[in-house]
C-alpha cells in the first residue's frame, strides 16, 4: 500500500513538472512573438522617421526655406491622425481591436481581420 502511495505521489509530481514545462514553453513562445513584433514596429517607426526627415529636408531645399518642409510633413501627419481619430467605433486601418494580443497568445496563424 505504501508503494502504491509513493508511486501515486511520484506520478502527480511528474504531471506537475510536465504542466510547469508546458506553461514555460507557452510563455516563451508568446514572449518571442511579442519581441519580434516590437522589434518590427521599432524598425518600421525608425524607417518612417528617417524617410519623413529626408522628405522634410528635400522640401526645405526645394522651397528654399529652413523650416517649411518640416511644417508640411508635420501637417500631413497631423491630418492623417485627425482623420483616424475622427472615426470612433470603426476599425482602425482595417484592423479590429485586440488582434495583436490574439496573434501572440493563440498558437494558430490567422489572417489579419
Amino acid at each position: 500500500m505504501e508503494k502504491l502511495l509513493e508511486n501515486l505521489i511520484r506520478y502527480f509530481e511528474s504531471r506537475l513538472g510536465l504542466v510547469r514545462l508546458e506553461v514555460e514553453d507557452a510563455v516563451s513562445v508568446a514572449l518571442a512573438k511579442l519581441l519580434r513584433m516590437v522589434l518590427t514596429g521599432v524598425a518600421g517607426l525608425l524607417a518612417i522617421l528617417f524617410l519623413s526627415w529626408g522628405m522634410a529636408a528635400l522640401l526645405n531645399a526645394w522651397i528654399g526655406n529652413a523650416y517649411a518642409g518640416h511644417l508640411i510633413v508635420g501637417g500631413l501627419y497631423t491630418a492623417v491622425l485627425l482623420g483616424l481619430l475622427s472615426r470612433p467605433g470603426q476599425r482602425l486601418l482595417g484592423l479590429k481591436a485586440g488582434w495583436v494580443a490574439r496573434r501572440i497568445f493563440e498558437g494558430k496563424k490567422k489572417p489579419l481581420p
Side-chain angles (χ1 to χ4, degrees):
M1 190 65 161
E2 286 182 29
K3 191 165 188 155
L4 179 65
L5 186 59
E6 288 177 19
N7 287 339
L8 188 62
I9 290 172
R10 274 191 289 186
Y11 170 75
F12 283 117
E13 286 175 350
S14 298
R15 289 290 293 168
L16 183 62
L18 178 64
V19 169
R20 186 178 300 135
L21 288 174
E22 288 174 350
V23 168
E24 285 179 13
D25 184 47
V27 168
S28 67
V29 167
L31 286 176
K33 287 181 181 179
L34 179 64
L35 181 63
R36 185 179 66 206
M37 292 177 80
V38 166
L39 290 176
T40 302
V42 167
L45 286 175
L46 284 173
I48 289 172
L49 174 74
F50 286 116
L51 287 172
S52 298
W53 198 356
M55 184 187 315
L58 183 68
L59 286 172
N60 283 340
W62 185 54
I63 294 172
N65 196 326
Y67 59 86
H70 291 90
L71 291 176
I72 292 170
V73 171
L76 288 174
Y77 282 126
T78 302
V80 169
L81 177 66
L82 291 176
L84 291 174
L85 293 178
S86 67
R87 301 176 354 176
Q90 293 187 1
R91 295 160 50 138
L92 182 64
L93 300 175
L95 302 173
K96 290 182 185 175
W99 75 269
V100 173
R102 285 194 306 275
R103 288 224 31 209
I104 291 172
F105 294 109
E106 290 181 2
K108 301 172 189 166
K109 291 205 172 201
K110 295 182 179 177
L112 292 177

